[in-house]
Amino acid sequence: LRHEKKITWFVVITFLAQPVSTLMALLIYPPDLSKEFPVYEADGIMLVAYGNALFIAGLTVMGIKLADEKKVLPAAGFTMFAISGGILTASLFEITQVVSLETYEKFYRIQSSANFLYLPAMYLISAYEDFKKWIRYIGLVSSIPLLIASFMFLFGNRDFKTLETISNIGFGLMTI
């Protein structure tokens, strides 16, 4: 029972670390939105990456816990979500070196591939019946803006301010 409490606290803290670190990064190191594409400070990206790393740790622990409970579908979903988060975190380092639209495009290609993993992960996580229904559905709903932005990019849209706005709606819903 004591171990279960440690798991619960670890997951809660790591799940909260990601939105808190992102909010801190945006407040301390706001992106420059005056150009054709957002320009992010490297130190701000490092703060976001730290929060993401903690979040990925929480996702991994949650996946292992559910696998131990023989809840295979949501365990696989949390594992896929952790993989998606790892890809997304790796893509962040591309935008610290953004000096052209081509560089931002490379970042967005990587981010879109992470977004494509996100929907099936949310679908699998929604099979976890111990979550309230609204929690299971918000994950699925949060994937919609991410997929819209990814498909817009895939079909040639390079208005990165619009794509970022749409993606950030999805990321915002994800933090709920």
Side-chain angles (χ1 to χ4, degrees):
L1 185 63
R2 187 168 181 209
H3 188 68
E4 287 293 318
K5 283 187 177 183
K6 287 181 181 180
I7 290 171
T8 300
W9 276 108
F10 182 80
V11 169
V12 168
I13 290 167
T14 58
F15 279 24
L16 290 174
Q18 195 273 336
V20 168
S21 69
T22 299
L23 184 60
M24 287 174 50
L26 291 173
L27 292 173
I28 299 169
Y29 308 101
D32 178 1
L33 302 174
S34 66
K35 300 182 179 172
E36 291 181 80
F37 47 86
V39 176
Y40 295 91
E41 296 273 341
D43 290 339
I45 294 301
M46 287 300 295
L47 191 53
V48 171
Y50 177 69
N52 285 359
L54 292 173
F55 185 54
I56 291 166
L59 291 169
T60 303
V61 168
M62 191 68 178
I64 291 169
K65 178 184 181 302
L66 293 175
D68 284 348
E69 295 174 5
K70 307 287 187 227
K71 296 179 180 176
V72 175
L73 293 178
F78 278 102
T79 302
M80 283 183 73
F81 195 2
I83 293 166
S84 174
I87 294 168
L88 184 61
T89 300
S91 77
L92 293 175
F93 292 100
E94 288 296 322
I95 61 174
T96 63
Q97 301 170 24
V98 170
V99 292
S100 67
L101 284 172
E102 292 79 20
T103 310
Y104 205 85
E105 185 172 327
K106 181 180 178 185
F107 153 72
Y108 222 83
R109 285 190 189 284
I110 299 168
Q111 180 176 310
S112 293
S113 67
N115 291 346
F116 291 140
L117 280 172
Y118 183 68
L119 176 63
M122 288 300 103
Y123 177 74
L124 292 169
I125 290 170
S126 74
Y128 186 47
E129 295 174 354
D130 290 351
F131 282 154
K132 295 183 187 284
K133 281 188 179 185
W134 74 268
I135 293 173
R136 293 189 289 170
Y137 295 138
I138 196 75
L140 292 169
V141 170
S142 71
S143 66
I144 293 169
L146 297 173
L147 289 175
I148 288 171
S150 295
F151 278 108
M152 286 173 64
F153 175 79
L154 182 68
F155 292 114
N157 186 317
R158 296 302 185 264
D159 179 353
F160 292 111
K161 287 182 183 177
T162 300
L163 293 172
E164 282 287 287
T165 300
I166 294 168
S167 292
N168 286 336
I169 291 168
F171 291 129
L173 288 170
M174 182 191 307
T175 62
I176 294 173

